[in-house]
């Protein structure tokens, strides 16, 4: 019988029940999906790294011989060690399978990584996704990103530009490498466009033949790397893996002894590799989402359940008393009311778990496909699902426990008495204090003959007291709105921060169209003259960039970055602080990227040592200012300082060019033909890549907005409906007194509006806190986002939440309009 | 005598499938200045009749005319104005707004009908001056009902409709309330209609309307009604 009653109770308030079930469902599905995706992707990365035998440490050196490599293998703690040669070459991609049939020639910069012929290297293996592993020294594997963008397929031909002329190579296959799931050129360039940068895996013999041909042409003038290539055996990169339990720092120290400390350019553990770091940032985002957002939903669900059950128990007091009088046991009453909460939890958790599992698998698969993770692990983690179910059950159960206990503890006689709702106790206590004293004040009657006066308009009095009469419910609703606002502002704030960062870093700072780097420092005036000679170039500037190590003198912590020398009033490249202030480098001082400052614990005024790698020349400077850059980082000195302190007078390593509209491609082609230029970066292509990322963010924004709307609508719908249901007699009485229908609609709207405003006021600090937390997840030395919210975002967020509030109360207002006054005026509270 | 309330074949039926006739087609008149008691057992249609008179409900058929106004012809806004100006309601369970004090409950009615004068006067009339700043939860049932009367009176309506006004009160308090209602008829010339199942109240009425199973089965005048003070039940 009680089960039948429960079913009818559900039917009687089905929309409120549906609303709270949806909230539970969303919370659980969000938790399951995010956490399962996080675990699956983490497992997939680990599996990929294991199966491709990724090295634990990558050491860049000036050169390493086979004997040195063998010596490293003998170090206790080293499981495997190999050397590689990593060489940049310009490439020309031919559209058409052979050079003769080429319909287009695309020039780009290639990073060539040596691999053994016929067999995979012992460390850092690649996964061939189409074609075959190279079987001859003129075959290469092309990394997937570049291959897809350039429409390269196995069998295609392309050219490598060497000092000895173009060499034809054939694409043996397309490959994926865990190192290049996210292709980054270096820490300062994490978004190279596949239009002009690609990674290739080339048999060592291929590089050897290129090197020897170059030596033949250039002799001792050939670059050091070509000379290394010509040896056939030496490399410039050491990879090694550790035995289980090995002390990484100790092993590295011994490796440096073997190689010679001055020979070592950098040593990067696996987790600090650029690609690995960026991917881990994404994963951390999933993990954070799994923790923070579902909590909002479950808290709101708990509040709604508590409100529903409190009302039900209040309304059914006579029924409870009657049941007790009939002999129904208290624990049966307790169980009956708890079963409503439990049912909500069971339905919400079950559907939420199924949805979460499906969403988690979908997110894993889509993300893995997007990145082409070769070994994807999608598992059902029952512990996560059980945790989700437990949360989904616990939240409503705990919320319903107090009303259920209250119902079971009622005395039958008391339960069957009419229940008169009390004004809020604090309100009454306050009035009891001041009202008698106020009444003692003698006053003359006004023109209506009344001595008592209240300056507050009636509608406002009614509204404010309605808000105050159920502080628990008001607080719950305000918290629901707060949670919804936090969702909206966090998501919109992420986008605003990204937009602001891009604006600061690119629009306000970068005013050039192309950037050309030289193989080695060139005469600055000659380089400028040569560039001006290219049709379409409207402005040229030279800067000097050098690889450096920056050290915090106080702590000794170091960081590898690039140094750039800028003229004080550079028209093409301007540094900005996070506030947007233009920064001009002063002689004898350094401007440091804020990400480096955070990494090394630096602030303005601190002293740093800047040491050029590998020459070791260094200077000590105070920090003049911190500049902001979304991507990458650097230390900037006045060009005059770089010239004198690092012996670069009259020299430049980089050209910055402004070109006429429509001439970018032509100028770029001309630049790439220059023998001194090693790579050309197209700023527009780079920006369009970043814009693509923003497009992904819009998808996330839309999803989170949808969640926020559902959350706000669910709690507001329930609160507004409950408030109206509980005040039916009151509203009917007011209508009987002649209160206009529009006036009552206005009262309900005003009450909900005030609660909405309270929620918004409370919500903003919380939202800003959550936004900051999320931004911290995506902030590192590679990638920095400023904390930013545009005023229009704040305005739109507020208006949006208020709009949802207005719409969510509509069903309740409809109930007010349709109210049968005769019935409602006789209702017992 | 001038007729204040006239029903012309007014009836009320509920339900879409199985129809329930709450009030059969009824024709009756209630003159101005009378105390009318509508008697009948539970489910006889007493409250339905009262609700039709007060425009809390609309007849399914027929007409209800109060003070010359055809209620069915009124829009929703006009009905609100009608209730504001022409009718005062007194409910069995008082129906006070719980978040307003006694004074404010009366003030609400006064503000709606723009009759701010007299709030203090009506509260004095019902002898509630000293507890005017109390909330309903702090008042006894009798006090709450007196606030309800004051609320109805402050707008000076010609018609007062009382649905079981003493139903929730003890005997002595009920008599006090009835005494107030009686004085409104005799001293203020109001028309008071009381719905009750308590036959004892019929003695104080100028007119007694009997209802049974939704039909008016009796409509008699009493030339010498008893005083409220003399009633006993």
């Amino acid at each position: 019988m009680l089960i039948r009653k429960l079913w009818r109770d559900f039917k009687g308030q089905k929309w409120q029940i549906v609303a709270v079930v949806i909230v539970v469902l969303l919370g659980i599905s969000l938790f399951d999906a995010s956490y399962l995706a996080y675990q699956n992707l983490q497992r997939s990365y680990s599996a990929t790294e294991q199966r491709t035998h990724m090295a634990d440490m990558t050491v860049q050196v000036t050169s390493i011989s086979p004997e040195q490599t063998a010596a490293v293998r003998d170090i206790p703690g080293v499981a495997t060690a190999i050397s590689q040669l990593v060489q940049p070459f310009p490439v020309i991609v031919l559209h058409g399978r052979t050079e003769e049939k080429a319909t287009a020639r695309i020039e780009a910069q290639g990073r060539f990584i040596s691999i053994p012929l016929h067999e995979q290297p012992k460390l850092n293996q690649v996964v061939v996704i189409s074609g075959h592993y190279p079987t001859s020294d003129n075959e290469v594997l092309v990394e997937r990103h570049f291959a897809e963008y350039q429409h390269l397929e196995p069998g295609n031909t392309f050219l490598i530009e060497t000092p000895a002329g173009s060499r034809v190579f054939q694409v043996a296959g397309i490959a994926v490498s865990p190192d290049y799931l996210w292709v980054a050129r270096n820490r300062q360039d994490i978004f190279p466009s596949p239009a002009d940068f690609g990674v290739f895996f080339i048999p060592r013999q291929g590089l050897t033949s290129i090197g020897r041909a170059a030596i033949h042409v250039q002799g001792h003038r050939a670059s050091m790397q070509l000379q290394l290539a010509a040896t056939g055996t030496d490399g410039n990169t050491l990879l090694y893996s550790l035995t289980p339990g090995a002390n990484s720092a100790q092993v590295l120290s011994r490796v440096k002894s073997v190689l010679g400390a001055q020979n070592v350019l950098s040593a990067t553990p696996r987790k600090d590799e650029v690609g690995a770091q960026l991917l881990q940032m994404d994963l951390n985002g999933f993990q954070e989402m799994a923790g923070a957002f579902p909590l909002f939903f479950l808290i709101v669900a708990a509040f709604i359940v508590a409100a529903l059950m409190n009302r039900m128990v209040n309304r059914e007091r006579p029924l409870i008393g009657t049941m007790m009088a009939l002999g129904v046991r208290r624990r049966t009453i307790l169980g009956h009311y708890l079963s409503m909460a439990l049912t909500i939890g069971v339905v919400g958790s079950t559907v939420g778990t199924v949805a979460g599992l499906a969403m988690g698998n979908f997110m894993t698969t889509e993300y893995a496909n997007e990145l082409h993770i070769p070994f994807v692990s999608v598992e059902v983690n029952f512990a996560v699902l059980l945790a989700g179910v437990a949360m989904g059950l616990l939240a409503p159960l705990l919320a319903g426990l107090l009303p259920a206990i209250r119902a079971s503890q009622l005395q039958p006689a008391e339960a069957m008495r009419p229940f008169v709702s009390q004004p809020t106790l604090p309100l009454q206590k306050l009035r009891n204090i001041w009202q008698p004293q106020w009444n003692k004040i003698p006053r003359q009657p006004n023109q209506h003959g009344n001595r008592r006066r209240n300056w507050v308009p009636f509608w406002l009095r009614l509204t404010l007291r309605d808000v105050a009469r159920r502080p628990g419910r008001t607080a719950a609703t305000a918290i629901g709105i707060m949670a919804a606002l936090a969702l909206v502002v966090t998501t919109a704030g992420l986008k605003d921060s990204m937009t602001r960062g891009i604006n600061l870093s690119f629009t306000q700072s970068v005013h050039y169209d192309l950037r050309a780097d030289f193989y080695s420092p060139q005469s600055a005036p000659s380089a400028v003259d040569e560039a001006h000679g290219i049709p379409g170039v409207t402005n040229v500037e030279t800067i000097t960039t050098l690889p450096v190590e920056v050290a915090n003198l106080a702590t000794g912590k170091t960081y590898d970055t690039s140094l750039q020398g800028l003229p004080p009033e550079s028209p093409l490249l301007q540094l900005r602080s996070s506030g947007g202030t233009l920064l001009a480098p002063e002689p004898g001082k350094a401007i440091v990227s804020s990400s480096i400052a955070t990494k090394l614990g630096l602030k303005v005024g601190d002293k740093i040592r800047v040491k050029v790698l590998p020459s070791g020349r260094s200077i000590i400077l105070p920090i003049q200012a911190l500049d902001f850059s979304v991507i990458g980082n650097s230390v900037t000195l006045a060009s005059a300082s770089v010239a004198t302190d690092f012996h670069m007078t009259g020299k430049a390593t980089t050209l910055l060019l402004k070109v006429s509209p429509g001439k970018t491609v032509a100028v770029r082609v001309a630049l790439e033909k220059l023998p001194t230029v090693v790579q050309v970066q197209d700023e527009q292509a780079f920006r369009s890549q970043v814009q693509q990322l923003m497009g992904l963010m819009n998808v996330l924004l839309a999803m989170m907005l949808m969640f926020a709307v559902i959350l706000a609508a669910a709690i507001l719908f329930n609160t507004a409906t409950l408030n109206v249901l509980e005040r039916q007699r009151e509203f009917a009485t007011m209508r009987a007194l002649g209160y206009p229908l529009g006036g009552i609609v206005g009262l309900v709207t005003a009450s909900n509006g005030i609660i909405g405003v309270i929620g918004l006021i409370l919500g903003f600090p919380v939202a800003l806190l959550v936004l900051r937390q999320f931004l911290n997840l995506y902030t590192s030395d590679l990638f920095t986002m400023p904390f930013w919210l545009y005023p229009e975002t704040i305005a739109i967020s507020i208006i949006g939440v208020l709009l949802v509030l207005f719409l969510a109360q509509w069903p309740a207002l409809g109930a007010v309009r349709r109210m049968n006054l005769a019935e409602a005026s006789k209702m017992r509270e | 005598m001038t007729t204040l309330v006239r029903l012309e074949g007014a009836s009320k039926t509920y339900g879409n499938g199985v129809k329930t006739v709450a009030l059969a087609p009824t024709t009756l008149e209630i003159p101005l200045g009378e105390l009318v008691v509508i008697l009948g057992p539970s489910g006889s249609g007493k409250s339905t009749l009262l609700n039709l008179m007060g425009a809390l409900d609309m007849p399914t058929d027929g007409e209800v005319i109060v003070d010359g106004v055809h209620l069915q012809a009124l829009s929703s806004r006009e009905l609100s104005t009608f209730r504001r100006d022409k009718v005062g309601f007194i409910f069995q369970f008082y129906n006070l707004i719980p978040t307003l004090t006694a004074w404010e409950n009366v003030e609400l009615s006064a503000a709606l009908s723009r009759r701010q004068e007299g709030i203090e006067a009506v509260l004095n009339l019902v002898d509630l001056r000293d507890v005017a700043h109390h909330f309903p939860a702090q008042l006894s049932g009798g006090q709450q009902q007196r606030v309800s009367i004051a609320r109805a009176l402050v707008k000076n309506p010609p018609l007062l409709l009382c649905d079981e006004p003493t139903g929730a009160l003890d005997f002595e308090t009920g008599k006090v309330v009835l005494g107030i209602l009686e004085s409104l008829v005799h001293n203020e010339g109001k028309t008071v209609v009381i719905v009750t199942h308590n036959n004892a109240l019929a003695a104080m009425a100028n007119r007694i309307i009997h209802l049974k199973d939704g039909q008016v089965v009796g409509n008699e005048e009493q030339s010498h009604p008893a005083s409220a003070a003399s009633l006993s039940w």
Side-chain angles (χ1 to χ4, degrees):
Chain A
M1 188 59 66
L2 284 178
I3 293 174
R4 207 180 301 176
K5 175 188 173 294
L6 186 68
W7 171 245
R8 288 175 189 167
D9 288 340
F10 275 123
K11 280 174 67 175
Q13 39 189 0
K14 59 177 176 292
W15 295 119
Q16 287 124 280
I17 302 290
V18 164
V20 69
V21 165
I22 287 174
V23 174
V24 172
L25 182 168
L26 282 177
I28 301 307
S29 62
L30 197 58
F31 168 76
D32 284 343
S34 304
Y35 210 75
L36 287 173
Y38 164 74
Q39 287 194 326
N40 284 337
L41 288 168
Q42 193 77 71
R43 204 181 306 114
S44 300
Y45 290 148
S46 300
T48 300
E49 288 180 349
Q50 270 177 12
R51 290 174 72 163
T52 54
H53 304 281
M54 295 307 290
D56 293 314
M57 188 71 72
T58 301
V59 184
Q60 290 188 328
V61 292
T62 47
S63 71
I64 179 168
S65 65
E67 293 74 27
Q68 285 174 311
T69 308
V72 168
R73 273 193 215 110
D74 290 337
I75 293 174
V78 173
T80 313
I82 63 169
S83 71
Q84 279 180 335
L85 183 63
V86 180
Q87 182 92 14
F89 289 112
V91 298
I92 297 174
V93 175
L94 304 169
H95 282 201
R97 287 185 80 84
T98 62
E99 192 175 1
E100 291 75 30
K101 291 179 185 168
T103 56
R105 293 164 63 96
I106 310 295
E107 299 187 22
Q109 183 67 24
R111 170 178 295 170
F112 287 82
I113 301 170
S114 67
I115 52 175
L117 196 54
H118 300 299
E119 63 180 13
Q120 292 265 11
K122 288 194 167 53
L123 292 175
N124 285 21
Q125 295 176 355
V126 294
V127 178
V128 180
I129 58 176
S130 70
H132 60 89
Y133 193 85
T135 53
S136 71
D137 58 4
N138 73 332
E139 286 185 331
V140 299
L141 292 171
V142 183
E143 198 278 325
R144 180 202 52 103
H145 290 85
F146 187 76
E148 276 180 9
Y149 188 89
Q150 304 286 357
H151 306 290
L152 280 172
E153 294 169 356
N156 285 168
T157 299
F158 69 96
L159 305 175
I160 297 179
E161 294 289 303
T162 77
S166 301
R167 292 282 302 270
V168 178
F169 279 81
Q170 193 170 55
V171 178
I174 312 300
V176 170
S177 165
D179 261 343
Y180 295 101
L181 290 176
W182 184 309
V183 176
R185 203 193 307 254
N186 49 47
R187 296 191 88 78
Q188 285 69 46
D189 184 5
I190 64 173
F191 274 127
S193 168
D196 52 26
F197 177 77
V199 177
F200 300 79
F201 302 93
I202 181 170
R204 185 67 170 90
Q205 291 82 338
L207 283 177
T208 302
S209 72
I210 292 172
R212 287 180 181 163
I215 299 281
H216 183 73
V217 168
Q218 294 182 311
H220 65 275
R221 289 178 293 111
S223 71
M224 187 175 175
Q225 288 179 329
L226 284 171
Q227 291 180 31
L228 273 179
T231 65
T233 54
D234 291 0
N236 58 8
T237 305
L238 170 71
L239 306 173
Y240 67 84
S241 60
L242 298 168
T243 55
N247 185 312
S248 177
Q250 274 181 9
V251 169
L252 179 61
S253 172
R254 295 184 73 163
V255 166
K256 283 181 175 175
S257 314
V258 166
L259 299 175
Q262 72 286 353
N263 199 22
V264 173
L265 299 174
S266 68
T268 310
R270 173 94 200 112
K271 66 172 177 52
D272 290 342
E273 292 284 351
V274 176
Q277 250 190 304
L278 289 166
L279 291 171
Q280 193 59 43
M281 265 203 278
D282 259 356
L283 283 198
N284 292 346
F286 278 125
Q287 193 183 25
E288 189 72 15
M289 224 183 337
F293 289 157
L295 204 61
F296 285 149
F297 283 85
L298 292 175
I299 289 173
V300 167
F303 278 131
I304 297 175
V305 167
L308 282 175
M309 292 202 47
N310 269 318
R311 178 172 180 260
M312 178 183 270
V313 168
N314 287 344
R315 203 181 61 213
E316 294 186 355
R317 283 168 60 99
L319 176 62
I320 296 167
T322 306
M323 285 198 287
M324 287 179 177
L326 288 172
V328 175
R329 297 168 78 162
R330 289 183 188 278
R331 66 174 181 219
T332 307
I333 307 251
L334 176 72
H336 170 66
Y337 286 100
L338 267 184
S339 59
M340 166 166 270
L342 186 65
T343 308
I344 289 170
V346 165
V347 174
S349 297
T350 307
V351 181
T353 299
V354 171
L357 189 57
M359 271 167 53
N361 288 349
F362 176 77
M363 281 161 65
T364 304
T365 314
E366 285 304 300
Y367 197 80
N369 285 345
E370 187 64 30
L371 292 179
H372 270 71
I373 299 174
F375 305 109
V376 182
S377 168
V378 177
E379 285 180 13
V380 177
N381 188 330
F382 288 104
V384 171
L385 297 181
L386 274 174
V389 168
M391 286 193 297
L393 288 176
L394 212 61
L397 261 180
L398 285 175
L401 191 61
L402 273 178
I405 289 174
R406 196 158 57 83
S408 68
Q409 295 302 310
L410 282 171
Q411 296 305 317
E414 177 205 336
M416 286 189 275
R417 271 199 283 273
F419 179 73
V420 179
S421 63
Q422 307 283 334
T424 308
L425 200 54
L427 172 69
Q428 188 51 45
K429 276 186 179 170
L430 277 172
R431 283 193 78 103
N432 283 348
I433 294 167
W434 67 262
Q435 187 76 59
Q437 309 311 317
W438 178 254
N439 290 344
K440 282 178 189 163
I441 300 170
R443 51 179 74 83
Q444 295 301 315
N446 65 7
Q447 72 270 32
H448 301 301
N450 302 319
R451 288 191 178 81
R452 299 175 200 278
R453 273 157 246 171
N454 194 321
W455 310 113
V456 180
F458 237 109
W459 70 267
L460 189 57
R461 249 182 280 169
L462 280 168
T463 302
L464 290 173
R465 290 182 196 177
D466 178 54
V467 167
R469 80 161 118 184
R470 293 201 197 285
R473 188 181 301 168
T474 297
T477 310
I479 287 169
I481 294 167
M482 183 179 87
L485 183 71
L487 274 176
V488 171
V489 168
T490 301
T491 317
L494 280 172
K495 188 172 177 228
D496 276 3
S497 298
M498 185 76 168
T499 305
R500 169 74 174 170
I502 288 169
N503 200 27
L504 274 179
S505 295
F506 303 123
T507 314
Q508 292 187 36
S509 300
V510 173
H511 303 288
Y512 56 85
D513 297 311
L514 293 169
R515 175 186 169 122
D517 294 307
F518 300 126
Y519 277 107
S520 56
Q522 304 294 314
S523 158
S526 306
V528 170
D529 286 341
E530 198 170 25
H532 270 303
I534 300 173
V537 173
T538 58
N539 198 357
V540 182
E541 195 177 302
T542 58
I543 62 173
T544 306
T545 59
L546 299 166
V548 295
E549 176 194 87
V550 178
N552 180 338
L553 280 186
T555 64
K557 282 171 83 171
T558 62
Y559 182 79
D560 291 348
T561 181
S562 66
L563 167 74
Q564 59 184 12
L566 274 190
E569 285 168 8
S570 164
L572 296 183
L573 178 60
Q574 293 167 344
L575 302 181
R576 301 267 171 185
S577 67
S578 59
T581 310
L582 182 62
L583 303 171
E586 297 168 14
K589 292 184 183 174
I591 297 175
V592 173
S593 290
S594 50
S595 58
I596 297 177
T598 305
K599 190 106 177 140
L600 297 183
L602 293 165
K603 57 185 187 307
V604 173
D606 286 350
K607 287 219 167 102
I608 56 171
R609 186 187 64 241
V610 179
K611 182 171 85 173
V612 174
L613 303 168
S615 72
R617 208 167 277 143
S618 67
I619 56 171
I620 293 173
L621 303 149
I623 296 176
Q624 170 195 338
L626 303 181
D627 77 280
F628 177 82
S629 179
V630 168
I631 296 163
N633 51 60
S634 61
V635 172
T636 306
L637 273 58
S639 50
S641 297
V642 174
T644 52
D645 293 331
F646 297 106
H647 304 280
M648 295 291 286
T649 305
K651 295 212 177 108
T653 60
T654 303
L655 276 174
L656 304 177
L657 302 100
K658 187 82 186 149
V659 305
S660 306
K663 293 289 187 188
T664 307
V665 173
V667 171
R668 186 187 150 159
V669 168
L671 282 170
E672 283 165 347
K673 283 183 164 47
L674 297 177
T676 51
V677 169
V678 68
Q679 71 177 13
V680 180
Q681 208 166 297
D682 184 338
E683 194 58 29
Q684 286 308 319
F686 175 64
R687 285 192 205 196
S688 69
Q689 258 205 290
V690 174
Q691 291 302 331
Q692 259 191 323
L693 249 191
M694 294 293 288
L696 284 176
M697 183 152 274
N698 286 338
V699 172
L700 174 68
L701 176 65
M703 197 178 83
M704 298 312 290
L705 275 176
M706 186 186 73
F707 281 158
V709 164
I710 292 172
L711 191 65
I715 187 139
L716 286 166
F717 166 71
N718 267 288
T719 303
T721 305
L722 280 175
N723 284 349
V724 163
L725 287 174
E726 285 175 352
R727 295 176 73 189
Q728 286 187 84
R729 193 174 84 174
E730 193 178 315
F731 289 148
T733 304
M734 289 169 73
R735 294 288 307 280
L737 290 174
Y739 211 99
L741 176 61
I744 292 182
V745 166
L747 285 178
V748 173
T749 306
S751 292
N752 290 335
I754 288 176
I755 298 174
V757 167
I758 294 172
L760 289 173
I761 291 171
L762 291 176
F764 256 105
V766 170
L768 296 179
L769 205 67
V770 174
L771 174 61
R772 212 176 266 283
Q773 187 71 10
F774 259 88
L775 285 174
N776 285 342
L777 280 179
Y778 287 97
T779 297
S780 72
D781 59 318
L782 300 170
F783 194 73
T784 309
M785 287 214 275
F787 179 80
W788 199 259
L789 265 177
Y790 287 106
E792 49 268 32
T793 301
I794 298 172
I796 290 170
S797 302
I798 292 172
I799 292 169
V801 170
L802 289 175
L803 192 64
V804 169
L805 184 154
F806 180 70
L807 292 173
Q809 65 167 3
W810 206 253
L813 293 180
V816 170
R817 290 189 193 92
R818 290 188 302 272
M819 192 182 296
N820 184 315
L821 300 184
E823 280 178 24
S825 62
K826 290 176 93 87
M827 287 178 88
R828 302 279 294 272
E829 285 187 339
Chain B
M1 279 186 98
T2 312
T3 301
L4 181 63
V5 179
R6 192 166 75 241
L7 275 73
E8 293 177 358
S11 66
K12 184 70 187 179
T13 308
Y14 295 104
N16 291 323
V18 176
K19 291 194 188 297
T20 304
V21 178
L23 187 71
T26 301
T27 299
L28 61 82
E29 291 182 2
I30 295 175
L32 189 66
E34 277 194 355
L35 194 152
V36 177
V37 169
I38 301 177
L39 273 178
S42 289
S44 58
K46 315 185 290 296
S47 295
T48 304
L49 180 58
L50 201 76
N51 292 334
L52 291 181
M53 290 184 206
L56 285 187
D57 207 351
M58 285 291 121
T60 315
D61 278 308
E63 288 221 48
V64 179
I65 304 136
V66 177
D67 202 12
V69 178
H70 291 250
L71 299 186
Q72 288 92 300
L74 299 182
S75 66
S76 173
R77 187 184 291 270
E78 285 163 344
L79 281 171
S80 292
T81 308
F82 168 79
R83 285 186 221 113
R84 187 187 308 163
D85 296 338
K86 300 291 185 186
V87 186
F89 285 95
I90 295 158
F91 299 96
Q92 179 178 4
F93 292 105
Y94 335 124
N95 288 26
L96 299 181
I97 311 298
T99 51
L100 298 178
T101 62
W103 175 277
E104 289 168 338
N105 268 278
V106 178
E107 189 187 3
L108 173 63
S109 186
L112 283 169
S113 55
R114 295 190 176 87
R115 288 177 180 273
Q116 294 280 7
E117 67 274 12
I119 298 175
E120 204 161 327
V122 295
L123 282 169
N124 283 341
L125 182 68
V126 297
D127 196 22
L128 285 179
R129 183 183 44 206
D130 293 337
V131 295
H133 64 281
H134 287 185
F135 286 96
Q138 297 173 287
L139 302 174
S140 67
Q143 288 173 323
Q144 290 189 59
Q145 194 61 295
R146 281 186 276 158
V147 173
S148 178
I149 293 171
R151 182 178 65 182
L153 275 183
V154 75
K155 52 185 180 175
N156 200 27
L159 178 64
L160 282 168
L161 301 175
C162 313
D163 195 344
E164 304 274 9
T166 60
L169 303 175
D170 60 82
F171 175 69
E172 289 301 329
T173 311
K175 282 178 70 169
V176 168
V177 168
L178 290 173
I180 296 171
L181 293 174
E182 182 184 58
S183 71
L184 291 174
V185 175
H186 295 160
N187 301 339
E188 311 276 338
K190 305 286 182 204
T191 302
V192 174
V193 179
I194 298 174
V195 156
T196 183
H197 63 274
N198 184 349
N199 290 334
L201 269 61
M204 65 181 279
N206 299 115
R207 179 181 298 276
I208 305 164
I209 297 172
H210 293 270
L211 281 171
K212 187 179 175 187
D213 295 331
Q215 304 230 10
V216 174
V217 296
N219 185 351
E220 64 212 50
E221 284 185 53
Q222 266 189 162
S223 51
H224 298 291
S227 70
S230 67
L231 295 179
S232 179
W233 62 86

